[in-house]
Amino acid sequence: SDTVLNAEGSIFMKLLYIECNMGAAGDMLLSALYELLKDQKEFLLHMNSLDLGGVHFRAAAGGRANIAGSHVEVADGERPQERAHVHDHVTPGSIAALIDRLNLPQDVCAHAQAVYAAIAQAEAKAHKCPVEEVHFHEVGAPDAVAEIVGVCYAMYLLAPERVVVSPVCVGTGTVCCAPGVLPVPTPATANLLVGVPTYAGDVQGELCTPTGAALLTHFADAFGPMPAMTGCSVGIGLGGKQLSETDCVRAFLGEMQ
């Protein structure tokens, strides 16, 4: 356990607070947690050693609008039109089989499986079909699988005892994706965020993706404002969208009493 006693004998708990003022996507969460890791090089080496359909992890420092952070790019080497065709019939069963054979701790694979199970349930509810008939589109692509597995592995390495997440900004308007033009938040994202405090904000576009929503709801112990924390390290994960405001997730790792 990471619970420690300070000089006065008070108990402190290792806390991770995730701020989603500009939504959350798999790459943003992965990048924010990456910045908090003690051995970033080893993390990238291990992720690149996995059999994840030819994807490659690469981290780059960056910044926009006076906010500096990192973006961990997960590239699968395919052109978008190829990806749309090849991954159109990825099922929950095929994803589960892929995750099962990864060279990662059992807990990491279990978390990744649970995240995908939640996405499958949300998609099944959105399409009013049995889970077994769900076909993943973007979330079934190798880069999306890699982002989810990467977040689960980073959480395993950071080992927070409590995770608190801010209210989630989801964006407004519509988004173009494989099934067509959908409202923001998409039906699957809205299903995943049932019971979670959310708001639209002023930015046109999809800020919280199904992947981001599934990861947040899986790992969060609570949603709300930042608790009183000490000794914080801050990780800033940059997204890849060109928006009117910087799309980023901030992750604060510290201690709470």
Side-chain angles (χ1 to χ4, degrees):
S1 172
D2 289 293
T3 302
V4 296
L5 295 176
N6 65 6
E8 290 75 35
S10 299
I11 297 176
F12 281 81
M13 179 183 293
K14 193 174 183 181
L15 170 71
L16 178 68
Y17 182 73
I18 303 175
E19 181 191 81
C20 305
N21 293 347
M22 282 296 289
D27 62 338
M28 295 160 70
L29 289 165
L30 175 63
S31 303
L33 298 178
Y34 166 82
E35 284 217 323
L36 296 174
L37 294 173
K38 291 180 180 178
D39 195 338
Q40 297 171 338
K41 183 178 179 181
E42 177 57 33
F43 173 80
L44 293 176
L45 284 172
H46 192 83
M47 293 307 299
N48 282 326
S49 74
L50 301 175
D51 181 15
L52 279 166
V55 300
H56 182 76
F57 287 71
R58 182 178 62 189
R64 294 187 295 276
N66 297 320
I67 297 178
S70 293
H71 178 70
V72 177
E73 180 186 26
V74 182
D76 64 9
E78 293 179 353
R79 292 189 291 275
Q81 61 268 33
E82 290 176 334
R83 179 189 302 172
H85 174 73
V86 172
H87 307 299
D88 200 36
H89 301 294
V90 176
T91 64
S94 62
I95 293 291
L98 169 62
I99 293 172
D100 270 343
R101 61 174 182 263
L102 296 177
N103 179 27
L104 285 167
Q106 185 175 355
D107 282 354
V108 177
C109 294
H111 282 298
Q113 298 278 24
V115 170
Y116 264 105
I119 295 174
Q121 290 283 355
E123 292 282 4
K125 184 177 178 182
H127 295 287
K128 291 183 167 47
C129 70
V131 171
E132 299 77 33
E133 295 180 12
V134 167
H135 292 281
F136 291 135
H137 297 284
E138 287 90 347
V139 296
D143 55 342
V145 179
E147 287 170 0
I148 287 175
V149 171
V151 169
C152 293
Y153 187 38
M155 290 291 289
Y156 172 84
L157 294 172
L158 292 171
E161 292 174 287
R162 183 168 174 79
V163 179
V164 180
V165 177
S166 75
V168 181
C169 185
V170 296
T172 62
T174 59
V175 61
C176 294
C177 49
V181 179
L182 296 176
V184 172
T186 66
T189 300
N191 289 338
L192 286 160
L193 293 175
V194 168
V196 173
T198 60
Y199 61 102
D202 300 321
V203 176
Q204 289 283 326
E206 181 188 37
L207 297 186
C208 186
T209 66
T211 300
L215 286 164
L216 291 175
T217 54
H218 176 73
F219 283 108
D221 296 302
F223 288 85
M226 179 189 287
M229 300 173 66
T230 58
C232 287
S233 300
V234 184
I236 298 177
L238 302 172
K241 296 179 179 177
Q242 297 301 317
L243 301 171
S244 57
E245 301 176 40
T246 302
D247 58 326
C248 69
V249 163
R250 294 200 299 171
F252 300 80
L253 188 65
E255 296 173 343
M256 67 175 290
Q257 191 167 349

